[in-house]
């Protein structure tokens, strides 16, 4: 499928085929893909994990893995065939002509370099600025992508940034040289909706002012509906549908596109009523949090001595048995710090946490060990949640071994049962993490969290990195497990549509405080606080994807 235009597009891909060598075999990953991206145009490529989106993008700037082979087709950038360029020419083109915003900020930032130095390096390598002008431009870029105190932040290292802030730094690097084509691979998946809107507004301004073409890879269909001029849908390496975003996402022609749209959560999606044991709901809460405060010391920068930053400021809430309580808010609002306090990974500065009637203040040693058996986490990144040297079976069995539950044979049987419980085959126990997709790894992380039969599972952005089909499967799995096992969930997320689907109670957090609390219906249909209203207004594609 091709797009014709009287003006030559910035990017023109024709009949592209890419395969991966596995031994003596070539496995097709991209098959006969054709698409154009014109100056000032945003084209969104959507599809599930493994559909060929990122492989197509990697072929454009010749960053394919060593075992990948372009077997057919052409890629032309501003009329020049990419395959004809030498590596020296490609080095000059990457960053200056073709910008890249990759998805994983942790593996794409140098941990030994300050963030500002890394952005400045992109500017100086391509001769855009020097010296003091570089420092000034770095501050402008950091401010542009929504990072506060840019001068101070530029001097920090990646580990001192949150995940969302690291992603914003990558976006600043991608935009630094004003490229004519920007490849954005899931550029906002780690960002909350208000920062996402700010960053995407800036991308929109760039396309209008500089005529930059944007090749956007995303699993967020609502974002594609709102921000892209055209949408390309990929499935099993092929383009199955292409057209104006409003037409493709409102009136899809292909069955796979319809399946993607049906799986995408929206604010119109309501949670199905959950039948619960009335005796359980009448019991005292499993978790009671009162006046929780967490302060972090900051490095002294004045003669006044040390200062503190209040990450959590007087938070109170409870979690009933068998229910889901969600906390939503921007990056830095205190959501994940609250989760860490509840998990016992940090100690509160003030306030009290009671779990099953026991005050956790001052709990140490064996008592804390026993508590952690009953409370388990599932984190955001399925790629860093599992030790790459451990098989799936070893990862799931590790909590059983640490808590000395069962012998080797009993643990092996328990691992098989847990894999089945999360809808994975038992023979996955022998696989290594790199052999699994992101969705499969997240299922393994959930299986490991369930190994000790916990009462509470803390899910910190556990589905935000997943495409819509896998996300829908994981959410359905979580609901089924809650119904079967009576689990309680603390669900941390910046995705309000997902929160509406899964929650019994929602707390909106800003600057360490809860600014509004209520049922999903109260929060999403009758929001009172201006901050909540701002969050809802920033959600992309409202009404376009239902």
């Amino acid at each position: 499928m091709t797009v014709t235009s009287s003006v030559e597009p910035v990017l023109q891909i024709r009949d592209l085929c890419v395969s991966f060598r596995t031994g003596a075999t070539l496995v097709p990953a991209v098959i006969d893909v054709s698409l154009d991206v014109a100056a000032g145009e945003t084209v969104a490529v959507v599809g599930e994990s493994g559909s060929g989106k990122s492989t197509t993008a990697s072929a454009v700037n010749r960053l394919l893995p060593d075992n990948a082979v372009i077997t057919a087709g052409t890629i032309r950038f501003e009329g020049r065939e990419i395959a004809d360029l030498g590596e020296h020419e490609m080095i000059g083109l990457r960053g200056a002509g073709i910008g890249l915003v990759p998805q994983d900020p942790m593996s794409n930032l140098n941990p030994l370099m300050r963030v500002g130095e890394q952005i400045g390096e992109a500017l100086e390598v391509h001769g855009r600025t020097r010296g003091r002008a570089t420092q000034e431009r770095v501050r402008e870029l950091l401010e542009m992508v929504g990072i506060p105190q840019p001068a101070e932040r530029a001097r920090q290292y990646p580990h001192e940034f949150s995940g969302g802030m690291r992603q914003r730094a990558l976006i600043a690097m991608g935009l630094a040289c004003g490229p004519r084509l920007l490849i954005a691979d899931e550029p906002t998946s780690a960002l909350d909706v208000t920062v996402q809107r700010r960053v995407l507004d800036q991308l929109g301004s760039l396309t209008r002012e500089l005529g930059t073409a944007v090749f956007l890879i995303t699993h967020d269909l609502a974002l594609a509906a709102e921000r892209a001029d055209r949408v390309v849908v990929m499935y099993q390496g092929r383009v199955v549908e292409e057209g104006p975003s409003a037409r493709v996402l409102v009136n899809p022609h292909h069955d796979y596109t319809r399946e993607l749209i049906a799986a995408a959560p929206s604010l119109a999606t309501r949670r199905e009523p959950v039948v619960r044991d009335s005796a359980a709901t009448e019991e005292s809460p499993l978790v009671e949090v009162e006046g929780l405060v967490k302060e972090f010391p900051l490095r002294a920068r004045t003669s006044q001595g040390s200062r503190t930053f209040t990450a959590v400021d007087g938070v109170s809430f409870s979690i009933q048995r068998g229910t889901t309580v969600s906390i939503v808010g921007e990056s830095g609002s205190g959501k994940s710090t609250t989760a860490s306090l509840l998990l016992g990974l940090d100690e509160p500065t003030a306030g009290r946490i009671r779990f099953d009637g026991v005050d956790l203040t001052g709990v140490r040693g064996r008592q804390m060990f026993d508590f952690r058996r009953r409370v388990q986490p599932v984190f955001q990144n399925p790629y860093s949640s599992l030790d790459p040297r451990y098989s799936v079976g070893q990862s799931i069995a590790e909590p059983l071994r640490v808590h000395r539950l069962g012998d080797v044979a009993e643990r092996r049987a328990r691992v098989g049962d847990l894999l089945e419980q999360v809808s994975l085959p038992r023979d996955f126990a022998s696989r290594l993490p790199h052999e699994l997709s992101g969705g499969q790894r997240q299922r393994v992380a959930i299986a490991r969290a369930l190994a000790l039969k916990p009462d509470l599972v803390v899910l910190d952005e556990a589905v935000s990195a997943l495409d819509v089909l896998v996300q829908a499967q994981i959410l359905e799995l979580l609901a089924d497990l809650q119904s079967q096992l009576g689990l309680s969930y603390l669900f941390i997320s910046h995705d309000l549509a997902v929160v509406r689907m899964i929650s019994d109670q929602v707390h909106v957090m800003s600057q360490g405080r809860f600014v509004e609390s209520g049922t999903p219906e109260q929060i999403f249909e009758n929001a009172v606080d201006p901050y909540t209203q701002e969050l809802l207004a920033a959600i992309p594609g409202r009404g376009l994807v239902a």
Side-chain angles (χ1 to χ4, degrees):
M1 185 179 299
T2 61
V3 177
T4 58
S5 173
S6 58
V7 179
E8 185 172 51
V10 175
L11 175 66
Q12 185 181 69
I13 300 175
R14 291 292 179 268
D15 305 317
L16 179 67
C17 296
V18 181
S19 296
F20 287 88
R21 287 195 186 94
T22 303
T25 305
L26 281 177
V27 179
V30 173
I31 306 166
D32 295 326
V33 166
S34 297
L35 61 88
D36 292 347
V37 187
E41 181 183 38
T42 297
V43 173
V45 182
V46 302
E48 63 189 326
S49 298
S51 62
K53 308 186 303 293
S54 294
T55 300
T56 301
S58 296
V60 171
N61 53 10
R62 297 232 312 252
L63 290 176
L64 287 166
D66 292 339
N67 66 331
V69 182
I70 297 177
T71 57
T74 62
I75 304 170
R76 299 179 71 83
F77 172 70
E78 294 190 322
R80 303 166 69 192
E81 173 57 51
I82 291 291
D84 294 338
L85 301 180
E87 183 57 25
H88 180 74
E89 291 177 287
M90 284 303 304
I91 291 173
L93 193 60
R94 297 185 192 114
I98 302 176
L100 174 65
V101 181
Q103 179 175 5
D104 183 6
M106 279 308 292
S107 61
N108 287 286
L109 288 172
N110 187 336
L112 302 180
M113 288 180 67
R114 299 177 193 272
V115 171
E117 291 173 350
Q118 297 186 57
I119 299 172
E121 183 180 49
L123 290 164
E124 296 192 348
V125 162
H126 294 287
R128 294 297 195 269
T129 58
R130 283 286 184 270
R132 188 177 298 276
T134 297
Q135 297 175 20
E136 182 60 34
R137 180 58 179 156
V138 166
R139 288 194 290 270
E140 290 175 359
L141 288 163
L142 289 174
E143 186 174 17
M144 180 185 74
V145 297
I147 293 181
Q149 300 174 305
E152 181 177 327
R153 291 293 190 177
R155 295 192 294 268
Q156 293 183 320
Y157 291 90
H159 74 271
E160 298 179 276
F161 277 35
S162 68
M165 288 175 61
R166 285 191 289 264
Q167 189 66 37
R168 283 178 255 177
L170 283 179
I171 291 169
M173 290 175 68
L175 297 177
C177 296
R180 298 179 294 283
L181 171 67
L182 181 69
I183 299 173
D185 191 351
E186 301 282 6
T188 59
S189 62
L191 305 182
D192 58 73
V193 290
T194 51
V195 174
Q196 180 187 81
R197 181 176 62 179
R198 187 182 306 126
V199 168
L200 293 174
D201 285 346
Q202 181 59 39
L203 287 178
S205 297
L206 185 69
T207 60
R208 289 190 300 272
E209 295 170 11
L210 304 178
T212 301
V214 179
F215 185 12
L216 174 66
I217 299 169
T218 182
H219 64 252
D220 189 332
L221 297 181
L223 186 151
E226 181 175 280
R227 298 289 177 165
D229 300 292
R230 289 187 297 114
V231 171
V232 175
V233 183
M234 290 189 70
Y235 176 60
Q236 294 185 346
R238 298 180 183 271
V239 173
V240 297
E241 187 159 1
E242 179 181 357
S245 57
R247 198 280 299 161
V248 171
L249 296 171
V250 174
N251 184 28
H253 295 165
H254 197 276
D255 288 343
Y256 176 70
T257 311
R258 296 189 189 101
E259 185 181 359
L260 281 179
I261 292 170
S266 76
L267 290 184
T269 309
R270 288 174 168 78
R271 181 177 185 174
E272 292 295 324
V274 179
V275 178
R276 296 190 173 93
D277 183 354
S278 59
T281 58
E282 292 172 2
E283 293 178 5
S284 60
L286 177 66
V287 176
E288 295 174 277
V289 176
E290 297 179 1
L292 196 63
V293 176
K294 179 60 180 178
E295 296 177 346
F296 291 99
L298 298 177
R299 295 173 185 170
R301 297 191 183 277
T302 69
S303 59
Q304 297 174 351
S306 64
R307 296 179 295 151
T308 60
F309 169 71
T310 304
V312 178
D313 190 2
V315 162
S316 299
F317 66 97
S318 63
I319 303 176
Q320 293 291 143
R321 299 167 197 273
T323 66
T324 299
V325 172
S326 294
I327 303 177
V328 301
E330 295 177 299
S331 298
S333 62
K335 308 185 304 295
S336 292
T337 302
T338 302
S340 294
L341 293 169
L342 184 53
L343 287 164
L345 301 178
D346 272 320
E347 290 190 10
T349 305
R352 183 165 58 178
I353 301 173
R354 282 197 296 269
F355 181 81
D356 202 9
V358 176
D359 190 341
L360 298 181
T361 305
V363 168
R364 299 287 187 278
R366 184 70 198 183
Q367 280 184 297
M368 179 57 71
F369 189 71
D370 292 340
F371 162 74
R372 286 181 172 154
R373 176 177 171 178
R374 300 180 63 188
V375 180
Q376 289 289 301
V378 178
F379 296 111
Q380 176 177 359
N381 191 343
Y383 296 92
S384 62
S385 294
L386 303 175
D387 191 319
R389 300 166 298 177
Y390 278 24
S391 69
V392 166
Q394 289 173 316
S395 289
I396 297 174
E398 184 179 26
L400 299 171
R401 179 179 56 80
V402 169
H403 287 267
R404 299 180 181 178
L405 299 177
D407 56 26
V408 172
E410 289 170 335
R411 292 171 193 162
R412 187 180 300 115
R414 175 70 173 146
V415 166
D417 292 343
L418 287 162
L419 285 170
E420 288 189 346
Q421 203 165 39
V422 297
S423 302
L424 290 175
R426 284 177 174 261
D427 61 12
F428 268 44
S430 61
R431 295 194 182 188
L432 291 170
H434 76 267
E435 299 177 272
L436 276 60
S437 69
Q440 289 169 337
R441 294 189 203 198
Q442 199 66 308
R443 288 174 183 267
V444 172
I446 292 170
R448 184 175 60 184
L450 297 178
L452 298 174
K453 299 181 179 179
D455 299 295
L456 175 69
V457 179
V458 178
L459 300 130
D460 192 352
E461 300 283 8
V463 298
S464 65
L466 306 178
D467 63 66
V468 290
L469 289 177
V470 176
Q471 182 185 81
Q473 294 165 5
I474 296 296
L475 291 173
E476 184 177 356
L477 170 66
L478 291 172
D480 289 344
L481 291 171
Q482 186 173 62
S483 178
Q484 296 167 17
L485 305 176
L487 293 170
S488 302
Y489 295 140
L490 176 63
F491 194 80
I492 308 292
S493 182
H494 62 254
D495 190 327
L496 280 78
V498 169
V499 164
R500 176 157 194 170
M501 288 178 63
I502 200 170
S503 307
D504 295 289
Q505 188 78 7
V506 180
H507 302 284
V508 182
M509 197 168 193
S510 176
Q511 297 182 344
R513 293 177 175 271
F514 287 169
V515 297
E516 190 160 2
S517 300
T519 65
E521 289 72 23
Q522 291 169 333
I523 295 296
F524 294 105
E525 294 177 11
N526 298 294
V528 174
D529 190 86
Y531 175 74
T532 308
Q533 294 170 353
E534 182 185 1
L535 285 180
L536 293 170
I539 297 172
R542 298 187 69 185
L544 291 177
V545 179

